[in-house]
Amino acid sequence: MPVNILFAARTVRWVEYEAPLRAALDAVGLDYVLDVDLPPETVDYIVYAPNSKVQDFTPYTRLKAVLNLWAGVEDAVNNPTLKVPFARMVDDAGLTQGMVEWVTGHVLRHHLGMDAHIVNPNHDWIADAPPVAADRPVGILGLGELGSACGQALQQLGFPVTGWARSPKTVEGIPCLTGPDGLREVLRQSQIVVLLLPSTPSTENTLNAETLALMPKGAFVVNPGRGPLIDDDALLAALDSGHIAHATLDVFRTEPLPKDHPYWSHPRVTVTPHIASETRAPSASRAIVENIRRGEAGEPFLYLVDRDAGY
Ligand code: NAP
């Protein structure tokens, strides 16, 4: 009997994913049916975007797993009808690599003070050489798949990197702190802080008036994680006072960021439109199909979401 796979995401994604998914399924030799419309009671796996039409999983009575197309799961993790294993996306060649490039680029921009030379209308001779990376400590809040990869890339460039996670972790070359005391320590010592935490009730407003005040004067914030990680009013106040020199923000509580949001016009804020990274269909399809193969072989699924932790 074939494995029935429902693709539940917007049409534009089907156009992008159908061929790579079929190629990955063919490569593992599965007998399958892959479609955007299947009788719910026949579906074994759902390849899923939380903004798809499928919001009630109750009719999918023989479902074995739901395989998320994105890394962030905050829009599906609390769905009470989603009771089967739920895997998030880990896509090393696409999503992770893209994030490493985006984070490295924006960290280097602030580290090197590039703006002063790119926008220099008065042709001022600004002869302040930047410090070397070894003198620019970086903190990574969220030392998971993406945070670890970004931290290691920065560490290889010479930055002293310290991470912060929920549980103790061993990532080569990166000390990892935990808990509220660990957060305070990372913030106190970091001139650039990168947020790569998931959006959960415990991570909301990780950067707030109190924690921003711990950062050294003139520090930089880089947020490709999620909007709710930052208390926006507190960040704007810290930017206005000059305590935070610049914030590069890719994610926001409301997206697209409303045209009248103060971030757009703030001279110390760079807005990028949630483009830090995205899953790339060929490598993401291979990741999804590996989980289907595992399910059919009776092997444990990879990258399962912890419902209690919310990520
Ligand atoms: P991940 O592997 O699950 O890593 C999450 C990290 O955050 C882990 O180190 C985790 O700690 C830590 N964490 C979670 N809750 C915490 C808490 N309460 N206190 C301290 N640390 C906590 O996730 P990922 O794949 O790296 O992705 C991270 C996030 O990036 C996603 O959730 C998504 O929001 C965002 N993202 C953004 C884009 C974009 O284009 N802007 C693209 C992809 C992803 P443990 O290690 O102890 O579990």
Side-chain angles (χ1 to χ4, degrees):
M1 199 161 68
V3 180
N4 292 329
I5 305 160
L6 177 71
F7 187 87
R10 291 186 176 160
T11 308
V12 63
R13 298 294 172 199
W14 177 239
V15 173
E16 188 186 352
Y17 273 86
E18 182 184 2
L21 273 173
R22 290 192 190 283
L25 286 159
D26 291 342
V28 296
L30 276 178
D31 178 17
Y32 66 90
V33 173
L34 170 68
D35 210 332
V36 289
D37 192 15
L38 291 169
E41 66 281 4
T42 68
V43 173
D44 297 298
Y45 297 92
I46 301 182
V47 179
Y48 189 61
N51 61 5
S52 81
K53 279 187 243 156
V54 177
Q55 296 299 323
D56 180 6
F57 292 90
T58 314
Y60 297 88
T61 47
R62 74 175 216 201
L63 197 57
K64 296 174 186 168
V66 173
L67 309 168
N68 209 44
L69 279 169
W70 326 130
V73 294
E74 66 272 21
D75 293 333
V77 73
N78 293 320
N79 185 330
T81 67
L82 175 43
K83 294 181 173 152
V84 297
F86 178 37
R88 69 200 178 83
M89 174 56 65
V90 173
D91 163 28
D92 290 337
L95 189 67
T96 306
Q97 178 59 25
M99 187 61 81
V100 166
E101 293 174 14
W102 188 92
V103 166
T104 306
H106 286 278
V107 165
L108 282 173
R109 168 195 172 193
H110 296 310
H111 168 61
L112 296 174
M114 288 182 188
D115 293 21
H117 309 288
I118 292 170
V119 182
N120 185 8
N122 298 326
H123 301 174
D124 293 326
W125 189 258
I126 310 161
D128 300 332
V132 291
D135 295 328
R136 180 84 74 185
V138 175
I140 309 267
L141 307 187
L143 206 58
E145 291 294 327
L146 300 177
S148 299
C150 293
Q152 285 185 313
L154 293 169
Q155 194 254 343
Q156 279 159 20
L157 285 171
F159 292 97
V161 177
T162 304
W164 184 66
R166 197 162 61 98
S167 52
K169 312 202 66 166
T170 307
V171 179
E172 201 183 333
I174 304 180
C176 178
L177 306 181
T178 58
D181 288 346
L183 176 63
R184 283 192 279 273
E185 194 176 328
V186 176
L187 294 177
R188 274 195 200 103
Q189 67 187 38
S190 300
Q191 291 178 19
I192 301 178
V193 166
V194 179
L195 292 105
L196 275 166
L197 295 159
S199 179
T200 72
S202 353
T203 60
E204 182 160 14
N205 294 335
T206 296
L207 286 192
N208 54 40
E210 188 201 334
T211 53
L212 283 162
L214 297 170
M215 293 173 63
K217 184 167 169 43
F220 301 94
V221 169
V222 176
N223 184 18
R226 282 291 182 264
L229 301 176
I230 297 179
D231 174 337
D232 294 325
D233 290 340
L235 177 59
L236 285 162
L239 289 159
D240 286 342
S241 74
H243 181 69
I244 298 298
H246 201 104
T248 296
L249 308 174
D250 184 58
V251 283
F252 306 91
R253 286 170 194 264
T254 305
E255 294 182 5
L257 185 66
K259 295 269 187 211
D260 59 352
H261 196 286
Y263 281 150
W264 279 117
S265 54
H266 201 292
R268 293 193 167 123
V269 175
T270 298
V271 170
T272 63
H274 201 145
I275 45 79
S277 190
E278 67 174 12
T279 39
R280 313 294 153 138
S283 45
S285 296
R286 289 193 293 275
I288 287 165
V289 168
E290 170 58 12
N291 254 343
I292 295 175
R293 186 201 67 72
R294 284 173 162 263
E296 292 309 290
E299 296 172 22
F301 292 111
L302 296 173
Y303 310 121
L304 287 181
V305 172
D306 175 340
R307 310 296 174 90
D308 295 330
Y311 68 98

